[in-house]
Amino acid sequence: MRTEYTLVKDIVSGHSKRMNNIKKYYPFFKVSEISFLGFKEGKYENLDMGYILMAVLRFFIEQNNFNEKDVKYEDYQEFMHDLYIRDFSMNLDKDEEKELSLYIFDKIRNDGRPFSFTYFDPEDKKKKTIRTRIIENKISGDDIVYQVSADAVSFYLDTKEIKEESNISVAQVLLGKMIESRNFSGGTEVILKINNEVMKLINKKNEIINVMSYDVFHGVKMYEDFMENTVKWFENEQKLFKKNKELVDKALKNCDSDKSYYSAMEDIYHLEEELNKAMIRHSQLLSASVALQDQVDGIILKNKLSKIRVSFDFNKTMSEMISRDDIRNLRYLVWPLFKFGVSKTFSLSMIDNMLDYKTDDKEQNEKIKKEKEDKNFKYADEIEDERIRHNYNAFLKIMFEMLLEMEEFSLRKYNERLVSMLGDRVLENGDYFSFLAHLSQKDAYDMKKIAMKPDTFLEGIMKDFYVKNKDDSDRYSEIAFDIKFTGDVIEINENSITDILFTSAVIKGGLK
């Protein structure tokens, strides 16, 4: 029964997602079907629309994202002029070239209309239409400029038309498109792909060291390929990471003023978290690649010394002289025997010194002092973690007491209680703002569930707080509350924060 349920769910529930994934491939096949036989009486039938589309996509990705430049129609015309000559050996006059380029551009843009196809949605029991574009246009000043769409970049990335080492850069281009189009959940999936590419490169680096341990020549070749095809992209990748980080920070700032961003706040926070992880891993890969050069140099030097060590095969040399019937090389063996003899003597005074030398009857063992380990020593991160937990416990205790006192209160009232109990400077504490950020990750909290299985960092601290306060555990175990952003803005030390409404989900006799 379970297998049948899983099968049905996979067929029905997953159908819409599959159709949305397919849409990025649909325009390519529609465009590639276009034949030049019906244009100008088949004069350009040797042209391949599929190849031209892939070339135009790569051109737009290069200009829009790597060069951060909007493409004008004149730029497209210059690119097509070179393509005709380079790839198809066609020398056209200006009028023919303009007419042909315009025809191709219209087909790629589908005459300004989106590419669309209809499918049946088994969940809603009706047909739906999916639309997508390859090239988008906008007005910049007095000019019309063109940009490649996020679906087109995603399609190009999946085709593997680019070299493997630039997958991270192109994936980041797609990530930027996702963020700009406010598809934050899709952006998170792209970051996971970036992490996979980074892990591939880390594994490749480790493989190089492993190969060099038994085959230096092959290992050096792998190392040169790795440095040539990977390290040269790092600077560009770091720039794209910085650009995407700025886009995420901008989206977070818009959460307070734009409802569409506010509704996607959880996805934005998750996207920021995964992006930070990817940036850390990428920096670690860069450091490891720099260290790899020193490791490879050391292994090469060691092998050079072993190759040039003094050795001579007498049997092999004798066999070669016999086979050539030439013993002239024997002179190199005989000459050292005719060198002047060097007399060596041993001073008799050294014998007296040896006889007079006295040794200890008993060997004295070396005393090793055992240094006492400082059990109270703490690392900087441990001290910081203790401070955070201490401050969070204080914030939680006051919040829990207010929830037990009243059914509903605002962040403004909560701040007033914090100031009255912890002092005026509590709202200047950075841990207070990080506490609110962690608290905003969920819409509701239930201490009974948290005590059994905490899901987040803050819930882990809540569980520890619950365990430490054994005397009040019975009171705190009944706490369950919802949080809701009201949309009102309050000022805290010149910082604008959206007001939060805390509502207790518990009444006498159980949950609401």
Side-chain angles (χ1 to χ4, degrees):
M1 184 67 182
R2 180 178 179 81
T3 304
E4 182 180 352
Y5 171 76
T6 303
L7 176 62
V8 172
K9 183 179 180 182
D10 187 53
I11 293 173
V12 176
S13 302
H15 186 68
S16 292
K17 292 182 179 179
R18 291 190 180 89
M19 292 299 102
N20 278 282
N21 287 334
I22 289 174
K23 72 175 183 179
K24 59 187 176 184
Y25 302 101
Y26 180 75
F28 170 79
F29 294 104
K30 291 294 292 182
V31 173
S32 61
E33 287 177 355
I34 297 173
S35 172
F36 288 92
L37 290 174
F39 179 70
K40 295 295 180 180
E41 299 178 353
K43 184 178 180 181
Y44 308 108
E45 62 177 341
N46 291 331
L47 295 178
D48 186 332
M49 187 62 97
Y51 170 77
I52 294 174
L53 173 59
M54 298 303 293
V56 170
L57 280 179
R58 188 66 184 90
F59 167 71
F60 271 87
I61 291 173
E62 181 74 23
Q63 295 299 318
N64 288 161
N65 301 285
F66 295 122
N67 297 336
E68 298 183 0
K69 174 185 175 183
D70 290 328
V71 177
K72 297 180 181 178
Y73 184 75
E74 292 77 10
D75 300 325
Y76 158 79
Q77 281 185 315
E78 290 180 8
F79 171 76
M80 294 301 294
H81 171 76
D82 295 335
L83 182 141
Y84 297 139
I85 298 173
R86 182 189 65 244
D87 300 329
F88 297 100
S89 302
M90 294 175 58
N91 291 304
L92 307 175
D93 60 41
K94 290 185 178 180
D95 293 335
E96 285 181 325
E97 189 175 294
K98 286 182 179 180
E99 190 174 8
L100 177 59
S101 297
L102 180 60
Y103 174 79
I104 293 173
F105 196 64
D106 287 340
K107 295 302 180 184
I108 292 176
R109 294 184 63 246
N110 198 28
D111 296 322
R113 302 186 305 273
F115 293 91
S116 62
F117 67 93
T118 304
Y119 73 96
F120 175 73
D121 187 345
E123 284 190 314
D124 295 342
K125 307 294 184 184
K126 62 180 182 180
K127 290 186 177 181
K128 293 184 177 180
T129 301
I130 290 180
R131 296 175 176 84
T132 184
R133 295 178 184 270
I134 298 177
I135 304 296
E136 299 172 339
N137 63 282
K138 65 177 182 179
I139 297 176
S140 177
D142 297 331
D143 300 320
I144 299 178
V145 295
Y146 301 91
Q147 290 184 330
V148 64
S149 69
D151 286 337
V153 175
S154 179
F155 160 73
Y156 192 85
L157 180 62
D158 286 346
T159 60
K160 303 297 182 184
E161 287 292 324
I162 53 175
K163 294 183 179 179
E164 183 179 358
E165 61 273 9
S166 61
N167 275 350
I168 296 175
S169 295
V170 178
Q172 288 204 78
V173 170
L174 177 59
L175 174 60
K177 291 287 183 181
M178 291 288 189
I179 298 173
E180 290 175 348
S181 62
R182 305 186 185 182
N183 186 2
F184 302 110
S185 59
T188 303
E189 294 179 2
V190 175
I191 294 179
L192 295 178
K193 291 183 180 179
I194 293 176
N195 281 332
N196 288 336
E197 294 298 329
V198 173
M199 290 306 300
K200 283 183 184 178
L201 295 178
I202 291 175
N203 292 334
K204 193 170 184 178
K205 187 268 300 182
N206 296 333
E207 183 184 354
I208 292 172
I209 296 298
N210 183 43
V211 171
M212 292 201 70
S213 64
Y214 61 83
D215 189 345
V216 176
F217 295 103
H218 184 54
V220 169
K221 185 177 180 181
M222 292 176 62
Y223 164 73
E224 291 175 349
D225 291 340
F226 179 80
M227 299 300 286
E228 173 65 23
N229 299 324
T230 301
V231 176
K232 71 177 182 179
W233 293 96
F234 280 164
E235 183 178 357
N236 185 46
E237 290 165 3
Q238 292 282 40
K239 290 180 181 178
L240 290 172
F241 270 124
K242 182 179 178 181
K243 179 181 177 181
N244 287 328
K245 185 68 169 64
E246 291 173 354
L247 289 175
V248 174
D249 293 339
K250 184 178 179 181
L252 288 173
K253 289 181 180 179
N254 290 336
C255 288
D256 293 335
S257 57
D258 193 324
K259 291 184 179 179
S260 61
Y261 282 99
Y262 175 76
S263 61
M265 182 181 294
E266 186 174 351
D267 290 336
I268 299 175
Y269 275 118
H270 187 45
L271 175 63
E272 181 192 31
E273 183 180 3
E274 293 297 329
L275 181 59
N276 288 335
K277 290 179 182 178
M279 294 176 67
I280 291 172
R281 287 183 180 177
H282 192 267
S283 298
Q284 291 173 346
L285 173 61
L286 177 59
S287 301
S289 299
V290 174
L292 176 63
Q293 184 173 1
D294 295 334
Q295 291 177 284
V296 171
D297 290 343
I299 294 174
I300 293 175
L301 178 61
K302 183 179 178 181
N303 279 269
K304 281 182 178 179
L305 294 175
S306 65
K307 290 292 181 183
I308 64 174
R309 68 181 183 274
V310 179
S311 60
F312 186 80
D313 190 341
F314 287 91
N315 292 329
K316 181 180 179 181
T317 304
M318 180 62 71
S319 299
E320 290 177 353
M321 287 189 295
I322 292 172
S323 63
R324 292 196 303 265
D325 194 18
D326 185 358
I327 61 172
R328 283 178 296 181
N329 287 339
L330 282 176
R331 66 180 181 272
Y332 297 114
L333 299 175
V334 178
W335 277 351
L337 300 177
F338 291 100
K339 287 185 177 180
F340 292 103
V342 179
S343 61
K344 298 181 180 180
T345 60
F346 188 79
S347 175
L348 296 177
S349 62
M350 294 296 296
I351 298 176
D352 294 335
N353 292 337
M354 292 172 64
L355 294 174
D356 294 337
Y357 183 76
K358 294 181 180 180
T359 60
D360 294 335
D361 295 336
K362 295 182 179 179
E363 293 183 357
Q364 295 181 353
N365 297 328
E366 181 182 0
K367 294 182 179 180
I368 300 176
K369 295 181 180 180
K370 293 185 178 180
E371 297 182 359
K372 293 183 179 179
E373 182 181 354
D374 186 3
K375 297 182 179 180
N376 295 324
F377 176 79
K378 294 181 180 179
Y379 292 97
D381 57 338
E382 293 177 334
I383 296 174
E384 185 175 357
D385 185 63
E386 285 186 1
R387 188 204 74 236
I388 292 174
R389 290 179 177 274
H390 174 76
N391 290 341
Y392 279 21
N393 284 336
F395 300 150
L396 287 172
K397 185 173 179 62
I398 294 174
M399 178 180 290
F400 287 170
E401 293 298 333
M402 291 181 70
L403 287 167
L404 293 172
E405 292 175 12
M406 57 189 78
E407 291 187 2
E408 189 174 84
F409 59 90
S410 65
L411 178 62
R412 195 188 303 274
K413 289 185 179 180
Y414 177 59
N415 291 341
E416 293 174 357
R417 180 71 65 91
L418 288 177
V419 171
S420 65
M421 298 188 69
L422 302 178
D424 296 337
R425 298 190 62 184
V426 65
L427 301 183
E428 300 176 7
N429 194 316
D431 291 340
Y432 163 73
F433 292 97
S434 68
F435 172 75
L436 293 180
H438 282 288
L439 190 67
S440 302
Q441 290 181 353
K442 285 193 171 185
D443 297 331
Y445 291 89
D446 188 339
M447 283 304 298
K448 287 185 177 179
K449 294 180 180 179
I450 293 173
M452 295 175 63
K453 184 181 179 182
D455 291 332
T456 63
F457 172 75
L458 179 60
E459 288 187 349
I461 295 179
M462 286 182 175
K463 180 181 178 180
D464 294 341
F465 174 83
Y466 175 78
V467 173
K468 288 180 182 178
N469 295 271
K470 294 181 179 179
D471 297 338
D472 295 327
S473 292
D474 292 338
R475 298 171 63 229
Y476 294 150
S477 64
E478 297 296 329
I479 289 179
F481 61 97
D482 302 328
I483 64 173
K484 181 180 179 182
F485 291 89
T486 62
D488 298 332
V489 177
I490 59 176
E491 298 291 333
I492 301 177
N493 297 325
E494 299 182 355
N495 294 316
S496 299
I497 296 181
T498 305
D499 199 4
I500 302 174
L501 187 65
F502 300 87
T503 305
S504 175
V506 177
I507 60 174
K508 294 181 180 180
L511 291 173
K512 287 184 179 179

